[in-house]
Amino acid sequence: MTSTDSAAAEKQPAKAPAKDPWDLPDVSGLVVGVLGGTGPQGKGLAYRLARAGQKVIIGSRAAERAQAAAGELGHGVEGADNAECARRSDVVIVAVPWEGHGKTLQALREELAGKLVVDCVNPLGFDKQGAYALKPEEGSAAQQAAALLPDSRVAAAFHHLSAVLLQDPEIAEIDTDVMVLGEERADVEIVQALAGRIPGMRGIFAGRLRNAHQVESLVANLISVNRRYKAHAGLRVTDV
């Protein structure tokens, strides 16, 4: 190496250290809306987040129904119709039934523009053999949401949580991991941080939205586990 090469090498800036994947943002000031907040999953998520100190608004097609459910939950939860819930929230969790997923999001495209939308819907069918996964034309519920909401940032998370455990006030911690998928690291980290506000829970990055189908589908397996073992099974990711 010549002296010129040596001098040039010395001038190369040092590489920045890799970002700590557990260095997550402070999300305590964000308002979280839950569309489908009067259903078991949405209501349970709203309860846990509000109990952890998050400002939560639950949405329903009927404002009165949402307000009644919010009154039952306490912890400062408010209820509103879906459009108002979307407008007033920084982050919106979609917990509506699969059958109404596309129609609901299409109707709220304007209100959800610029928002971080977190889809936790599991497209499932049921027959005499039990639950089985459905595959939407777009690939997954999350990808359908991204297609319907081009002006929103869409992530996927909170698929594998037991509504029974979420709503039980006697349970202090929810012992489970939440697989979080999304296109932008900053958005994924916001969702991870929200999950981490719930005692016992961690948010784990699990890939981009193209991988959402198998995460959504795994719920069919968990339903089978729960039926066989009379349990409320969740997931833990090891060595992370």
Side-chain angles (χ1 to χ4, degrees):
M1 180 182 289
T2 67
S3 58
T4 304
D5 293 334
S6 178
E10 288 176 4
K11 290 180 181 178
Q12 290 295 323
K15 271 190 176 181
K19 186 178 186 301
D20 181 352
W22 296 112
D23 180 15
L24 301 174
D26 178 7
V27 294
S28 58
L30 297 179
V31 179
V32 177
V34 183
L35 302 179
T38 59
Q41 193 79 354
K43 200 171 181 181
L45 276 169
Y47 172 68
R48 287 292 161 176
L49 288 168
R51 181 169 159 171
Q54 207 74 37
K55 176 59 187 174
V56 177
I57 304 170
I58 59 176
S60 177
R61 285 176 296 178
E64 297 80 6
R65 187 178 176 199
Q67 290 159 1
E72 294 172 11
L73 294 177
H75 297 282
V77 176
E78 294 183 40
D81 63 50
N82 283 331
E84 183 182 349
C85 173
R87 278 193 298 268
R88 292 178 56 195
S89 301
D90 301 304
V91 178
V92 180
I93 298 173
V94 181
V96 299
W98 166 241
E99 293 75 17
H101 181 263
K103 187 176 180 181
T104 298
L105 295 184
Q106 199 165 27
L108 296 172
R109 177 173 170 174
E110 184 177 336
E111 288 83 0
L112 291 171
K115 311 281 184 178
L116 173 53
V117 176
V118 185
D119 203 297
C120 72
V121 175
N122 303 303
L124 297 175
F126 295 87
D127 60 19
K128 291 180 179 179
Q129 297 182 56
Y132 60 95
L134 303 175
K135 189 159 188 179
E137 183 180 343
E138 298 84 355
S140 65
Q143 288 169 295
Q144 184 183 86
L148 292 171
L149 303 172
D151 299 320
S152 304
R153 295 130 50 213
V154 176
F158 302 115
H159 300 91
H160 306 134
L161 305 180
S162 163
V164 173
L165 298 184
L166 288 174
Q167 293 186 73
D168 189 341
E170 299 300 316
I171 295 176
E173 296 189 2
I174 305 294
D175 182 24
T176 194
D177 287 332
V178 171
M179 300 181 81
V180 184
L181 303 97
E183 299 302 318
E184 299 295 334
R185 181 164 186 164
D187 292 335
V188 168
E189 289 180 347
I190 288 172
V191 183
Q192 287 181 270
L194 283 172
R197 297 210 72 201
I198 300 173
M201 197 177 288
R202 297 188 307 172
I204 305 288
F205 171 64
R208 294 179 178 269
L209 287 187
R210 68 180 184 180
N211 293 320
H213 171 65
Q214 55 263 41
V215 173
E216 296 169 1
S217 300
L218 189 57
V219 174
N221 302 91
L222 290 176
I223 289 172
S224 297
V225 170
N226 290 338
R227 287 181 173 174
R228 174 63 62 90
Y229 298 100
K230 311 299 181 192
H232 301 291
L235 295 179
R236 275 295 187 201
V237 180
T238 61
D239 200 32
V240 175

